[in-house]
Amino acid sequence: MGHPRIVAVAVAILLGMPAGCGRKADPKTVTMLIESSPTNLDPRIGTDAQSEHIDPLIFDSLVRRNEHFGLDPWLAERWEAPDPTTLIFHLHKGVQFQDGRPLTSRDVKWTLDSILDGTVVTIKSGAYRNIASVEAADPQTTVIHMKRADPALLWNLCDGAFGVVPYGSPREFWRHPIGSGPYRLVSQEMDKEVVLERAASYWGAMPHIERIRFAVVPDATTQALELQKGSADVAVNALTPDMIYALKKNSSLVIEDGPGTRLNYIVFNLRDPVLKDARVRQAIAQAINRPSIIHSLYRDQARLAESLLPPQHWAWSGDTDKHAYDPAKANTLLDAAGYQRGAEGIRFHLGMKTSTDETVRLLSVIVQQQLAQIGIALDLRSYEFATFYSDLTKGAFQMAPSRWIGGNEQPDIFHYAYSQASFPPHGSNRGFYANPALDALLDDAAATSDQARQREDYAKVQQIAARDLPSINLWYLDTIVIHSRRLGNVHTSPSGNFEFLRDATMKP
């Protein structure tokens, strides 16, 4: 457990060095630090975190998520579902794209049709696979006809997942994207920056900030120094807990901390002859001291998780099995499963693949030490992220730490992560978990628009998952926004998106 403190000392020394004067701040521009360039600012295509966080500032969606992860009107001032396979959206009048063109139902239809008919090549097409046709009934009315009931479709029409593009937008639209959002794109340069400017034609409340520069700075320590020098104004969920702790001493910075939805978990491969036994998975869960790790590694910037869904969610259920730290019970479970300790106290070996991310590696070492106490020898193997992620998506592992970012904010996550229909490469059931009773509940929830019935189904799904443990839900990471005192009215969002930039104010 000494490793995190070594990192903390190094960070404290580095951030304690004289800051220097830094670059003079532009009174009209907020500089926000991001770890990587957005891969594609066409909202029909980009699925990486940076694209999905910047896109909603340029584009508008039909609906928007609220604080309880329900959906509210946005471009659609209202909508209705006359039957389970039909959605009718009534658009606001007077909305314009940033080049002056009016936004109508023809643009909504083009956006969806171009995703489905191959005009743009995108993995997002799978999210809209249940759409049979889209009809522009009149300039303000869009009708979506579905092949079958799909309660996840509305979520795939909300901010971050969807943005309306102008009619006729081609495959190269990403080079010069035009939306109807509060900011228009000025320029983008790969691995350097993205610059946005307030859109004069915006139909909603006009943002206070005139210009935003998203500066690409991959290294967390460099990000911390840029904030300390005043060369940058804000960063979200980018720094390690030890760096954040060190920056608390800087009077020129403000640290906003709120409950987050980013979920850390460990997934099991249930095709493994040892891990297919639920008693083994339960023992591993009870051998991991989650509160201790949250305190020591994350400096209490996380909250315990027992479900994929965050506690703020309308479908979240707290009525599930809990997995408190209990090594004695873990040993009893392993004894009952027939895994006796050998001469050196080892019951069996397991392998855990990880990325080379420093926090992930530290977490894995701690888990290795804790599992050793119940006789499990955990062999760690670290890989460059692309290799690790490739193996993860194929199910080529025994155990692996991973993270949900945003995807676990809608109950369809249970289908995506646990349904037999979501075995790789068709979804993220990477541990090949199979439970017909759980699949039947998911099918029942998908067949109705009655939220009370869906809530009941999802509560049972969460109870089954907590008992079977296809993965161990560890904790929800807090959303941390670090910003200069030039910025005011900054608020955190559970998903760590950039929506606060719509309302933030800036001093000259």
Side-chain angles (χ1 to χ4, degrees):
M1 295 290 288
H3 297 286
R5 300 284 71 80
I6 294 173
V7 174
V9 171
V11 169
I13 291 172
L14 183 59
L15 297 186
M17 295 170 64
C21 60
R23 184 174 64 188
K24 183 175 177 59
D26 182 339
K28 295 183 178 181
T29 301
V30 164
T31 296
M32 181 169 184
L33 301 175
I34 56 178
E35 299 97 315
S36 58
S37 292
T39 60
N40 196 307
L41 288 177
D42 184 335
R44 300 170 295 178
I45 299 175
T47 58
D48 60 291
Q50 306 304 340
S51 297
E52 292 196 344
H53 287 162
I54 294 175
D55 271 343
L57 298 174
I58 304 173
F59 302 91
D60 288 315
S61 52
L62 289 174
V63 296
R64 292 186 75 190
R65 73 192 79 192
N66 60 35
E67 61 184 1
H68 298 296
F69 304 100
L71 296 171
D72 291 335
W74 197 238
L75 277 178
E77 61 182 7
R78 60 188 173 88
W79 73 89
E80 62 233 25
D83 60 69
T85 59
T86 305
L87 285 171
I88 303 174
F89 295 94
H90 302 277
L91 305 180
H92 279 284
K93 293 181 179 179
V95 178
Q96 292 184 342
F97 286 107
Q98 291 144 5
D99 61 359
R101 281 179 283 178
L103 187 154
T104 70
S105 60
R106 185 175 78 152
D107 303 296
V108 179
K109 174 177 169 58
W110 173 265
T111 303
L112 288 167
D113 284 349
S114 63
I115 292 172
L116 291 167
D117 66 14
T119 298
V120 292
V121 178
T122 172
I123 63 172
K124 286 191 174 185
S125 61
Y128 307 103
R129 63 190 179 277
N130 287 323
I131 292 179
S133 64
V134 183
E135 174 189 355
D138 62 51
Q140 309 311 131
T141 308
T142 303
V143 183
I144 298 178
H145 302 282
M146 290 176 272
K147 302 170 186 174
R148 60 187 65 85
D150 184 357
L153 181 59
L154 266 174
W155 276 92
N156 290 317
L157 298 172
C158 77
D159 46 318
F162 181 78
V164 176
V165 303
Y167 175 81
S169 296
R171 188 172 296 187
E172 297 77 23
F173 177 71
W174 64 272
R175 298 181 185 275
H176 304 285
I178 297 170
S180 62
Y183 288 92
R184 68 177 186 87
L185 179 73
V186 175
S187 64
Q188 55 179 322
E189 186 175 344
M190 185 63 67
D191 297 327
K192 183 180 179 183
E193 65 182 15
V194 174
V195 179
L196 306 184
E197 193 171 76
R198 190 166 55 199
S201 62
Y202 186 51
W203 61 279
M206 192 65 70
H208 300 283
I209 297 170
E210 183 170 327
R211 190 180 297 109
I212 306 169
R213 174 177 173 260
F214 295 96
V216 179
V217 180
D219 180 67
T221 301
T222 304
Q223 287 198 15
L225 290 171
E226 291 293 309
L227 288 165
Q228 187 184 40
K229 291 187 299 181
S231 302
D233 295 292
V234 61
V236 179
N237 293 337
L239 307 185
T240 67
D242 286 320
M243 290 177 182
I244 295 167
Y245 180 80
L247 287 176
K248 286 181 178 180
K249 301 174 184 178
N250 190 317
S251 60
S252 66
L253 296 174
V254 178
I255 298 177
E256 314 278 357
D257 185 344
T261 60
R262 294 173 300 147
L263 175 68
N264 277 18
Y265 66 98
I266 295 174
V267 61
F268 298 111
N269 190 329
L270 273 63
R271 291 182 172 178
D272 181 84
V274 175
L275 292 172
K276 69 180 182 181
D277 190 328
R279 292 170 296 183
V280 173
R281 303 193 299 272
Q282 291 163 1
I284 291 172
Q286 291 176 322
I288 298 174
N289 192 339
R290 294 181 296 160
S292 175
I293 298 173
I294 288 174
H295 178 70
S296 64
L297 186 58
Y298 292 95
R299 290 190 177 270
D300 298 314
Q301 295 167 10
R303 293 162 173 79
L304 284 176
E306 300 292 353
S307 171
L308 291 181
L309 296 178
Q312 309 99 304
H313 201 286
W314 62 266
W316 177 83
S317 174
D319 184 21
T320 64
D321 290 349
K322 305 299 187 293
H323 304 94
Y325 177 58
D326 191 342
K329 188 172 180 180
N331 275 308
T332 299
L333 282 167
L334 292 176
D335 289 340
Y339 294 104
Q340 303 300 316
R341 291 179 183 266
E344 297 181 359
I346 297 176
R347 300 176 189 272
F348 51 79
H349 285 256
L350 286 174
M352 186 154 82
K353 290 186 176 181
T354 80
S355 71
T356 53
D357 176 87
E358 186 61 25
T359 301
V360 172
R361 291 175 63 187
L362 289 171
L363 166 64
S364 301
V365 169
I366 295 170
V367 171
Q368 180 188 52
Q369 294 170 349
Q370 293 181 348
L371 294 191
Q373 302 304 308
I374 62 168
I376 297 176
L378 190 64
D379 302 320
L380 303 180
R381 296 288 185 271
S382 296
Y383 300 87
E384 183 271 329
F385 182 78
T387 302
F388 165 74
Y389 188 69
S390 176
D391 285 352
L392 181 67
T393 56
K394 295 173 186 173
F397 60 88
Q398 284 183 292
M399 294 171 58
S402 193
R403 183 181 298 179
W404 287 112
I405 302 178
N408 61 318
E409 293 178 4
Q410 57 171 313
D412 194 52
I413 186 64
F414 294 118
H415 181 276
Y416 193 56
Y418 294 153
S419 167
Q420 294 182 70
S422 295
F423 285 172
H426 306 294
S428 284
N429 188 352
R430 295 158 181 163
F432 301 97
Y433 170 65
N435 187 316
L438 183 141
D439 286 348
L441 288 165
L442 293 176
D443 290 342
D444 187 70
T448 180
S449 58
D450 181 350
Q451 194 172 89
R453 178 172 153 191
Q454 290 176 336
R455 184 183 292 111
E456 182 178 346
D457 285 336
Y458 290 132
K460 293 176 181 177
V461 166
Q462 289 167 85
Q463 290 168 354
I464 292 172
R467 182 191 68 225
D468 288 356
L469 281 182
S471 59
I472 302 173
N473 298 311
L474 297 172
W475 42 73
Y476 311 101
L477 297 170
D478 287 359
T479 292
I480 309 289
V481 180
I482 304 173
H483 64 89
S484 68
R485 294 193 178 275
R486 288 208 306 157
L487 291 185
N489 195 31
V490 174
H491 52 83
T492 64
S493 70
S495 59
N497 61 35
F498 301 165
E499 288 295 286
F500 69 91
L501 293 168
R502 290 174 174 263
D503 304 316
T505 58
M506 184 172 68
K507 299 176 183 177

